[in-house]
Amino acid sequence: MEEYKSRKCVVFLSDFGTVDGAVSAMHAVADEVDETLRLEDLTHEIPQFNIWEASYRLIQALTYWKKGTVFVCVVDPGVGSDRKSVVALTKSGHYIVTPDNGTLTHVASEIGIVALREIEEAVNRLKDSQASYTFHGRDVYAYTAARLASGIISFEDVGAELDPASAVKLDLIPATVENGEVSGNIDILDARYGSLWSNIPKNLIEKAGIGYGDMVDVKISYKGCIVFGCPLRFCRNFTEVSMGEPLVYINSLLNVGIALNQGNFADVWHIRTGEGWKLKIKKH
């Protein structure tokens, strides 16, 4: 296994929001460990308890950060239970401090995890926090991440080694094409605009014989029940349809997206993302 030296940078992701002091408390713990650390935030606006979205937002940003960056990913509806607390080393050379509850799903699938260790809380826990069971983001994850990033502990000092394949995974089904029909997941929303982002890459659309300007049959289902079915135009940009009209396009990750020109597709059709949400596209 190739070794990666952690760098003095910690990036935080959570569902805490910023209306109270939770995020500030995590920063404060890291700052107390080493005031020379660079502390950054990926987002704290993950919908409450949405492990799937935490997993996706992590993969969306992680590889743009330099090797050795330490991430704290805390969306933890099982906090205080017997779920494990872990640190993962990715094939890209990044560290992720997180509960083992599915937040590593997209990273494991798209990048790979080369090593996984369970946090030994008897050593890697904020002093005098043992009586607290519901804020591991502050007491365990921020503290451990800061110590790792600062070099106070090594990756081996985190705790016992685990099999990387044992990390909890959500149901992530790869995109496929068969008989001209492309199928995939609705992974996430372009949150500010309500566009749907799928895991269907542009090359599968091309393989299905679909080109810009074509009308395509779109079916969106949740746990097998169709919630949207309509022919839409496959466009290069939003202005190729009238205001308020839906379209299929290729997003900034070069995957298929569905949008409403100057509107919110997800809200209008009450569509969400994650496990159970499927998209099928076929030339009309």
Side-chain angles (χ1 to χ4, degrees):
M1 182 187 74
E2 186 177 357
E3 294 291 337
Y4 294 97
K5 182 179 179 181
S6 59
R7 63 190 292 254
K8 302 187 76 170
C9 179
V10 181
V11 180
F12 294 88
L13 178 156
S14 78
D15 60 349
F16 296 162
T18 54
V19 295
D20 62 15
V23 173
S24 181
M26 290 196 295
H27 280 233
V29 166
D31 181 68
E32 179 66 22
V33 169
D34 184 348
E35 64 181 15
T36 68
L37 289 175
R38 176 183 173 188
L39 306 178
E40 299 286 350
D41 297 303
L42 195 161
T43 181
H44 295 289
E45 302 305 323
I46 300 295
Q48 293 96 322
F49 320 121
N50 193 324
I51 296 169
W52 176 283
E53 183 156 335
S55 174
Y56 187 92
R57 295 302 182 197
L58 190 59
I59 191 67
Q60 187 179 18
L62 181 142
T63 57
Y64 292 97
W65 288 87
K66 290 182 179 179
K67 292 179 179 181
T69 300
V70 181
F71 289 80
V72 174
C73 180
V74 193
V75 174
D76 194 13
V79 62
S81 69
D82 59 358
R83 61 95 186 92
K84 292 182 174 68
S85 295
V86 299
V87 180
L89 171 59
T90 72
K91 193 173 290 185
S92 58
H94 301 85
Y95 293 92
I96 305 169
V97 185
T98 187
D100 184 23
N101 60 7
T103 54
L104 295 171
T105 298
H106 288 81
V107 166
S109 174
E110 298 184 30
I111 296 176
I113 297 172
V114 296
L116 188 69
R117 290 185 176 271
E118 183 173 5
I119 297 174
E120 176 52 63
E121 292 186 19
V123 179
N124 295 304
R125 186 183 179 108
L126 182 66
K127 183 180 178 181
D128 299 327
S129 69
Q130 288 79 3
S132 173
Y133 298 100
T134 58
F135 198 178
H136 284 183
R138 175 196 64 194
D139 301 335
V140 179
Y141 303 146
Y143 182 71
T144 300
R147 281 160 55 85
L148 180 61
S150 67
I152 293 173
I153 61 171
S154 67
F155 181 53
E156 289 71 21
D157 294 329
V158 165
E161 190 172 10
L162 302 172
D163 180 359
S166 71
V168 174
K169 311 291 195 313
L170 304 176
D171 185 21
L172 185 63
I173 299 174
T176 59
V177 58
E178 185 175 355
N179 297 324
E181 185 173 65
V182 186
S183 302
N185 298 310
I186 300 175
D187 269 351
I188 206 75
L189 298 181
D190 186 357
R192 187 168 178 81
Y193 302 104
S195 304
L196 310 183
W197 283 21
S198 77
N199 68 332
I200 298 173
K202 181 176 181 288
N203 70 294
L204 283 193
I205 289 293
E206 294 168 347
K207 190 174 180 180
I210 298 171
Y212 288 117
D214 289 342
M215 294 298 294
V216 294
D217 292 325
V218 175
K219 290 182 181 179
I220 298 172
S221 63
Y222 179 62
K223 294 184 177 180
C225 296
I226 295 175
V227 296
F228 177 90
C230 186
L232 303 179
R233 186 173 302 281
F234 180 43
C235 301
R236 287 185 175 84
N237 59 64
F238 305 122
T239 62
E240 293 182 13
V241 297
S242 300
M243 187 182 300
E245 186 176 343
L247 67 144
V248 178
Y249 72 106
I250 299 298
N251 66 20
S252 59
L253 300 179
L254 300 183
N255 290 337
V256 170
I258 299 178
L260 198 63
N261 185 16
Q262 298 188 42
N264 190 307
F265 188 95
D267 283 353
V268 170
W269 279 280
H270 308 289
I271 293 170
R272 292 297 174 257
T273 66
E275 288 184 298
W277 286 96
K278 307 299 178 187
L279 171 65
K280 292 187 176 183
I281 297 175
K282 190 173 184 178
K283 194 169 183 177
H284 186 62

